[in-house]
Amino acid sequence: MAHSLEGVYLIPQCIAFVAGKGGVLKTTAATQTAGLAAAGGWSVLLVDLDPQGNAMFDLGYRSDGGAGLADALMRGTPLRPASDRRDGLAYVAGGPALDELAPHLALHPEAIHALHNALEPIADAYDLIVVDAPPRELALRRMILTAAHYLVVPSGVDRASRVGLADAAASVTEIRQATNPDLDVLGVFAGPVGANSHQIRARVVTRLGDLIDDHDLVLGTVVRYAPLIAEECRERGLLVGEYADAASRAQPWYEAIKTGSETYSRAAEGLAADWQLLVDEILARFVKLQEPS
Ligand SMILES: Nc1ncnc2c1ncn2[C@@H]1O[C@H](COP(=O)(O)OP(=O)(O)OP(=O)(O)O)[C@@H](O)[C@H]1O
Ligand SMILES: [Mg+2]
């Protein structure tokens, strides 16, 4: 079905996690946001639009390799989210089947509305729809930004990140002019930063604000650098808060190795607190922007 490029096509409660650079915490932030919002009682849908399909690792769900999502986006079949892992959290898996999507979008320009069209019939069931974007696949990014109402941009503050921020900003400008004038940047956040000192992390917030020349857009929480905990969470399909809860209930490691039980690091609490604060900020901005003005 052909679609006019006029009219409003966004999904009002949809937040996309997008960056102009790979490996900057898009997927981790998307899954923590979806998971914490669901744990807080919201009805949430997470859509993994990345051919890498990494969200399944963070959330520990089984994946069809993106086949259902690819069908919905390219052939218009209804999207059927699964919801077998956590109360309030439905998901649509990504994966290699989405590799077909970029060539499809090149051949069918009207498919820029495909994500909107797939989400629209089911969107009312959710308070929040989170979309995880791939690192740098411009055709997919355009389709995502055409459907999304809000955008969260993770970034570092190094030279490569500056290029990535400019790249993301260029996409926002382009999509506002082309298909989605109401696309709104909800916030930009920095991390992970290798410092436990709040002062050092606060300096990163200031630097990021200087970089984008807008301090109000920067979220104030910087997630600490904790690669081993992050890797263990992804390995076990647990959100950081879930891992920290399990760690607080687990036997001490010296008992666990005797009984052959799983061991947990007790250092996850700080990282879990960072994510809770960052997600609180994201959701507070989301709620405020959703209020009728
Ligand atoms: N707090 C943390 N400290 C250090 N490393 C982390 C932290 N949280 C996550 N990571 C690691 O950073 C890497 C990138 O994270 P993530 O997959 O969320 O980024 P991404 O932007 O989605 O990447 P991609 O561009 O490949 O989609 C992963 O290996 C993840 O385990
Ligand atoms: Mg990712």
Side-chain angles (χ1 to χ4, degrees), residues 57-78:
F57 302 128
D58 288 358
L59 292 168
Y61 59 71
R62 276 188 307 173
S63 164
D64 64 356
L69 181 53
D71 266 352
L73 296 173
M74 292 189 290
R75 290 171 274 282
T77 54

Side-chain angles (χ1 to χ4, degrees), residues 17 22-28 48 50 52-55 58 132-135 234:
F17 286 74
V24 286
L25 303 188
K26 292 180 293 298
T27 300
T28 310
D48 179 1
D50 187 346
Q52 298 182 104
N54 289 340
D58 288 358
D132 183 24
R234 196 161 262 193

Side-chain angles (χ1 to χ4, degrees), residues 155-158 161-162 165 206-215:
S155 176
V157 289
D158 61 342
S161 300
R162 289 204 292 275
L165 281 167
T206 310
R207 238 185 107 205
L208 187 56
D210 292 344
L211 272 185
I212 61 171
D213 201 19
D214 186 341
H215 290 266

Side-chain angles (χ1 to χ4, degrees), residues 222-259:
V222 176
V223 171
R224 75 196 58 195
Y225 184 73
L228 292 179
I229 306 277
E231 191 190 312
E232 281 211 6
C233 289
R234 196 161 262 193
E235 207 55 54
R236 296 181 194 190
L238 294 174
L239 295 167
V240 183
E242 293 168 346
Y243 180 100
D245 282 349
S248 71
R249 288 193 306 269
Q251 293 174 303
W253 65 268
Y254 47 86
E255 300 280 349
I257 49 171
K258 272 194 267 171
T259 57

